[in-house]
Amino acid sequence: MTYSYFPGCTLKNKAVDLDKYARISAEALGFTLEEIPDWQCCGGEYPMAKDEFATKLSSIRALSSAKDAGHELVTLCSACYNVIKQVNNDVQTDELVDFKVNNYLKEDGIEYHGETKVLHYLEVLRDVVGWDKVRAAVKNPFTGKKIGAYYGCLLLRPANVLQFDDPENPQIIEDFIKAIGGTPVIYSQRNECCGAYTMFEDKQIPKDRASKILSNAQDMGTDFLVTSCPLCKYNLQKNKGDSKLDVIYFTQLLAEALGLKEEK
């Protein structure tokens, strides 16, 4: 199975491990990530203004490229997933957006009306590969490790559009942790925002949010946190203070469990 792949800007610099280990793990589990040629930054934040169309064009180009290749579109970064899937929904459900973006892009020979299915890598593991197959491929299980899933907000909301998991009680990362042999730790802050988008207005907000998340996870006996969001990882690590918890990309854990990553 081959998927069109949108890595996003951060996976080419600050989050190279998220990208690198996703690719090699995919091959080991029987699917391929085919990077879209000449992709552009999705913007990192979904444009809320109803009359804002230009900032959606890079997402439309990526979606159209996947359609032309005959593939579904997979991404890893929580922000990229959120933006691209919401833009795709706009084209599918709003006639004005559909008309405007196609009017912009017709000179490039692009016509797109929401045909592409957008998936997060974790959805491929859950719905296509299956947790049983992941579990069977594990060579180095995380036996005895208490791992806390950190979802943040971008993977889960708006729930009616993303349809990724239950926003109040998500399970997909916990199921992933079980599949690689670890023990998931349930803590109350796992699906709360880390506050990263507020740092330009008030730097104290993300500091307070990070402290609350890390303290809650540590109090529940967590050994480390796992996430798919580069922004969350950066914010939690930057503001970790006295916390001893590391924040690790889920693809790093996957590659290590599959025996594809030498260092721990």
Side-chain angles (χ1 to χ4, degrees), residues 199-246:
M199 68 176 64
F200 296 109
E201 182 176 346
D202 184 349
K203 292 183 179 180
Q204 191 59 41
I205 295 175
K207 289 181 181 179
D208 292 343
R209 290 297 311 130
S211 176
K212 191 170 185 178
I213 292 162
L214 292 166
S215 294
N216 179 217
Q218 191 163 304
D219 289 346
M220 295 301 291
T222 306
D223 291 324
F224 55 87
L225 296 180
V226 58
T227 190
S228 76
C229 182
L231 191 59
C232 293
K233 176 179 168 68
Y234 172 81
N235 188 42
L236 292 175
Q237 290 187 325
K238 178 179 174 61
N239 298 301
K240 69 185 299 182
D242 296 329
S243 174
K244 299 178 182 179
L245 296 183
D246 288 326

Side-chain angles (χ1 to χ4, degrees), residues 17 136 138 160 185 223 228 238:
D17 285 343
V138 168
N160 63 320
V185 176
D223 291 324
S228 76
K238 178 179 174 61

Side-chain angles (χ1 to χ4, degrees), residues 13 21 23 25 69-70 75 81 96 114 127 137-138 149 179 184 196 199 206 214 239 247 253 258:
N13 45 72
Y21 293 114
R23 293 176 189 260
S25 297
T75 191
Y81 174 74
L96 182 59
D127 301 332
V138 168
M199 68 176 64
L214 292 166
N239 298 301
V247 184
L253 297 188
L258 295 176

Side-chain angles (χ1 to χ4, degrees), residues 72-132:
E72 295 173 341
L73 179 64
V74 168
T75 191
L76 279 156
C77 168
S78 300
C80 295
Y81 174 74
N82 185 286
V83 171
I84 294 174
K85 194 157 187 179
Q86 288 208 70
V87 169
N88 200 40
N89 181 71
D90 288 343
V91 179
Q92 293 170 337
T93 61
D94 190 320
E95 291 182 1
L96 182 59
V97 174
D98 180 81
F99 172 76
K100 287 284 188 177
V101 296
N102 277 285
N103 201 40
Y104 271 113
L105 295 172
K106 64 183 180 181
E107 291 186 5
D108 297 330
I110 294 174
E111 182 176 352
Y112 182 75
H113 302 288
E115 296 91 342
T116 300
K117 184 175 182 180
V118 181
L119 295 169
H120 190 276
Y121 191 102
L122 282 164
E123 292 179 296
V124 177
L125 295 183
R126 179 189 65 191
D127 301 332
V128 181
V129 177
W131 297 128
D132 287 342

